[in-house]
Amino acid sequence: MKLSREKINHLANCIMNDFGKRDEVDYIAEPTEVRLQVVKVITDVLAVDDEVDGFVKNKLDSLSKDIWEGSNEWEVMYNKYYEEEMNKKGL
């Protein structure tokens, strides 16, 4: 999934605002450093998502049986392979 830098920063700011409202959240580092780490985590997860998406699509394309992208069968197979790959990566 592609998100612009602005959208990622907006998400990080929303998360930081939510953290600020919670009594159970206390910062060891400066809030700016925490926000930068939130941005990094979001960016890293999106990169893994893109990698897995490409891998799964290639795997589906390489099957001997032609499955049309967008069909119910394709969606079921895509979700199955996607979940398997994300589990392998610990996500």
Side-chain angles (χ1 to χ4, degrees):
M1 173 186 291
K2 302 279 184 194
L3 290 179
S4 68
R5 177 180 296 269
E6 293 80 22
K7 288 182 181 179
I8 292 171
N9 283 328
H10 176 73
L11 285 172
N13 288 331
C14 289
I15 291 168
M16 292 302 294
N17 288 337
D18 186 63
F19 285 172
K21 296 175 186 174
R22 297 179 181 271
D23 292 334
E24 63 269 15
V25 175
D26 192 22
Y27 301 114
I28 296 172
E30 291 294 318
T32 303
E33 289 298 316
V34 175
R35 190 187 72 73
L36 290 174
Q37 285 299 311
V38 169
V39 168
K40 182 181 181 325
V41 168
I42 292 170
T43 304
D44 291 349
V45 169
L46 290 173
V48 170
D49 178 71
D50 286 344
E51 176 188 332
V52 170
D53 177 69
F55 176 82
V56 170
K57 286 181 178 178
N58 286 338
K59 188 171 183 175
L60 288 170
D61 287 343
S62 69
L63 295 175
S64 59
K65 180 181 177 184
D66 282 338
I67 302 172
W68 294 94
E69 186 170 346
S71 68
N72 287 337
E73 184 178 13
W74 189 92
E75 292 290 334
V76 168
M77 298 283 291
Y78 177 90
N79 290 330
K80 177 185 173 213
Y81 290 148
Y82 182 88
E83 186 175 327
E84 286 174 0
E85 289 302 313
M86 290 300 268
N87 286 335
K88 287 179 187 176
K89 296 189 178 292
L91 296 173

